[in-house]
């Protein structure tokens, strides 16, 4: 316990850009570690980028077929024994289900690794929280997440997001956007309280900076209304007014909004545009349709009405933008609801955080080598429900 407290103290007192140096020094001192590396998941979730040396002189490792990637994908510690007898313990670095990367610690022997695995896993969790806080004051970890340069529009969109995953006893959430380094206007947002989860899935209009500016205005208008304690129908109405006041109907934004009651699974919904919802329940995939209402900002002072929906424990809800269900193959065939349903069914055993990336990989196979001409967004919500207290 004294060793753990020493590491925690070192992390909490380190300068934001020196977290890795601090954890490396104290793990060498307290645990006899031979080497310590931190890898951050890149925006496309395809590689894990080393933080140790910037600019990146160390090689990134694959998320799909590397020991570091196994720890990231499984979200469990993974041991790797080297020829020299040393053991490298790869530890997932996550914050409330949002997977940031992996901490790799090389120890002198396997026995020490087994003895300290749980303690070191807790240290990786503390490091994750410190990285999130440090990102307010340094670009170091954000730089480490990119294997290519982001477009300005993509930079704006990623900074707008709440994270890429979130978990609580009642639910698990995962989301991903493609093309990760050149996204335009698609977006997602969520916020939870003790009793509610609010989730927005948006399909932006246009391209480049204009699309990103439109989405930024709409999302911040929705957040402003949400933080004022307004119900989602009123949130939609106020965001609609904000977008219309600026664009006068020339640009508008589609959004699908949910307000879930965590105790019951009941939700109120506003469907204002093109994002779609598919539900996996008892092995069957079906599209859930709502009464379509006007996108935000299309006309002045649109009134929005909330509809009812209920999630049952065991439901998997998959939200997609039109850049998923409308994407065409080289022969001009739309991906469509049938192919999407098959993709949802084939990924049913994956955790929610893995599902969006897996579906988007299948989408890439359908599209072929052609460059995407629209954003593609997938959000997966696994609903567990709140356990009853007898």
């Amino acid at each position: 316990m004294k060793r753990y407290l020493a590491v925690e103290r070192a992390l909490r007192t380190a300068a934001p850009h020196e977290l890795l140096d601090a954890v490396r020094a104290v793990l060498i001192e307290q645990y006899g570690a031979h080497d310590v590396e931190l890898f951050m998941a890149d925006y496309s979730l395809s590689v894990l980028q080393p933080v140790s040396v910037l600019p990146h002189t160390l090689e990134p490792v694959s998320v799909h077929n590397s020991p570091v990637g196994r720890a990231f994908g499984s979200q469990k510690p993974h041991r790797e024994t080297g020829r020299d007898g040393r053991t490298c313990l790869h530890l997932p670095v996550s914050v409330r289900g949002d997977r940031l990367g992996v901490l790799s610690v090389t120890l002198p022997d396997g026995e020490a690794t087994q003895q300290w695995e749980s303690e070191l896993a807790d240290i990786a969790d503390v490091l994750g929280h410190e990285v999130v806080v440090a990102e307010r004051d340094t670009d170091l970890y954000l730089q480490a997440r990119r294997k290519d340069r982001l477009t300005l529009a993509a930079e704006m969109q990623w900074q707008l997001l709440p994270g890429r995953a979130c978990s609580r006893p009642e639910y698990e959430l995962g989301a991903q956007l493609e093309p990760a380094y050149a996204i335009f206007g698609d977006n997602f947002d969520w916020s939870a309280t003790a009793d509610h989860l609010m989730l927005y899935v948006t399909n932006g209009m246009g391209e480049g900076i204009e699309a990103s500016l439109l989405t930024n205005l709409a999302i911040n208008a929705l957040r402003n209304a949400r933080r004022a304690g307004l119900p989602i129908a009123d949130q939609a109405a106020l965001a609609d007014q904000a977008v219309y006041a600026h664009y006068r109907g020339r640009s508008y934004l589609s959004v699908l909004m949910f307000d879930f009651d965590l105790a019951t699974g009941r939700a109120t919904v506003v469907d204002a545009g093109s994002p779609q919802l598919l539900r996996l329940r008892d092995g069957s995939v079906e599209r859930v349709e709502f009464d379509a209402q006007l996108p935000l900002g299309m006309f002045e002072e649109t009134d929005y009405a909330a509809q009812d929906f209920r999630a049952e424990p065991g439901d998997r809800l998959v939200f997609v933008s039109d850049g998923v269900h409308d994407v065409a193959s080289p022969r001009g065939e739309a991906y469509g609801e049938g192919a999407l349903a098959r993709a949802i069914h084939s990924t049913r055993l994956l955790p929610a955080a893995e599902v969006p990336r897996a579906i988007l990989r299948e989408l890439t196979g359908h599209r072929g080598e052609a460059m995407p001409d629209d954003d593609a967004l997938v959000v997966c919500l696994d609903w567990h429900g709140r356990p009853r207290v007898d």
Side-chain angles (χ1 to χ4, degrees):
M1 181 57 71
K2 290 182 180 179
R3 287 190 303 267
Y4 173 82
L5 292 175
V7 177
E8 187 178 39
R9 188 179 305 111
L11 284 170
R12 297 201 187 285
T13 57
H17 63 282
E18 293 179 342
L19 292 178
L20 180 57
D21 292 337
V23 76
R24 176 182 285 132
V26 75
L27 287 179
I28 290 172
E29 177 188 344
Q30 297 290 333
Y31 293 86
H34 287 271
D35 193 22
V36 179
E37 300 289 349
L38 174 62
F39 297 86
M40 301 292 291
D42 87 304
Y43 287 99
S44 65
L45 293 175
S46 60
V47 298
L48 291 148
Q49 299 265 125
V51 177
S52 295
V53 183
L54 291 173
H56 305 299
T57 56
L58 298 179
E59 288 295 320
V61 297
S62 171
V63 166
H64 308 296
N65 54 12
S66 69
V68 181
R70 289 190 190 98
F72 182 78
S74 68
Q75 287 296 286
K76 296 179 181 178
H78 177 77
R79 294 185 204 139
E80 180 186 12
T81 303
R83 294 179 180 177
D84 57 3
R86 296 177 181 176
T87 298
C88 188
L89 186 60
H90 305 292
L91 304 153
V93 177
S94 305
V95 178
R96 297 186 179 91
D98 191 11
R99 303 172 305 160
L100 305 181
V102 174
L103 178 68
S104 295
V105 182
T106 303
L107 296 167
D109 59 71
E111 184 176 343
T113 304
Q114 292 181 351
Q115 178 183 353
W116 295 331
E117 181 177 304
S118 177
E119 207 167 288
L120 290 169
D122 290 340
I123 288 169
D125 284 342
V126 174
L127 176 60
H129 283 81
E130 291 300 319
V131 165
V132 170
V133 174
E135 285 180 346
R136 299 182 307 181
D137 302 308
T138 179
D139 287 336
L140 179 68
Y141 309 103
L142 293 172
Q143 287 175 310
R145 295 183 188 201
R146 54 195 72 189
K147 64 182 177 67
D148 297 305
R149 184 173 179 178
L150 292 176
T151 65
L152 178 55
E155 186 86 53
M156 295 168 66
Q157 290 296 76
W158 284 111
Q159 289 298 306
L160 192 62
L161 298 176
R164 281 190 291 200
C166 181
S167 63
R168 279 183 48 170
E170 298 90 348
Y171 62 84
E172 293 177 50
L173 266 167
Q176 180 63 10
L177 286 160
E178 293 290 349
Y181 290 84
I183 49 175
F184 302 142
D186 288 2
N187 203 273
F188 56 87
D189 193 31
W190 56 64
S191 178
T193 64
D195 299 312
H196 285 263
L197 166 68
M198 288 195 184
L199 171 65
Y200 313 145
V201 180
T202 58
N203 196 148
M205 174 185 176
E207 298 180 356
I209 296 297
E210 290 304 317
S212 186
L213 288 170
L214 169 63
T215 302
N216 268 262
L217 174 60
I219 289 294
N220 279 293
L222 288 169
R223 288 174 174 171
N224 180 255
R226 181 181 76 212
R227 291 164 184 169
L230 300 179
I232 62 167
D234 292 336
Q235 293 175 32
L238 287 181
D240 169 74
Q241 292 173 23
V243 174
Y244 185 84
H246 188 78
Y247 291 99
R248 311 304 297 181
R250 298 185 305 275
S251 296
Y252 43 85
L253 182 120
S254 298
V255 62
L256 184 57
M257 304 170 59
F258 281 75
D259 180 3
F260 289 95
D261 184 319
L262 296 179
T264 65
R266 290 191 175 92
T268 51
V269 181
V270 171
D271 182 355
S274 57
Q276 294 184 7
L277 169 62
L278 290 94
R279 176 176 58 205
L280 174 63
R281 175 181 287 177
D282 297 329
S284 298
V285 178
E286 62 177 339
R287 181 179 171 189
V288 180
E289 298 192 55
F290 302 99
D291 294 334
Q293 301 178 72
L294 293 173
L296 306 184
M298 181 174 279
F299 297 106
E300 189 173 11
E301 296 186 358
T302 303
D303 289 327
Y304 292 90
Q307 302 164 65
D308 294 326
F309 175 79
R310 179 162 185 163
E312 300 288 348
D315 281 356
R316 168 165 285 180
L317 307 177
V318 179
F319 307 82
V320 298
S321 66
D322 61 10
V324 175
H325 54 77
D326 287 347
V327 71
S329 72
R331 292 182 295 179
E333 300 168 339
Y335 190 61
E337 195 172 310
L340 183 55
R342 288 192 294 273
I344 293 171
H345 196 266
S346 68
T347 58
R348 65 191 181 282
L349 299 181
L350 294 178
E354 286 280 330
V355 169
R357 185 181 63 169
I359 292 177
L360 288 168
R361 280 204 306 270
E362 294 202 22
L363 184 71
T364 300
H366 173 83
R367 185 176 58 238
E369 296 182 0
M371 289 296 293
D373 55 9
D374 195 5
D375 296 351
L377 164 63
V378 178
V379 178
C380 180
L381 171 62
D382 282 353
W383 189 262
H384 307 308
R386 180 170 289 175
R388 292 183 180 179
V389 179
D390 296 328

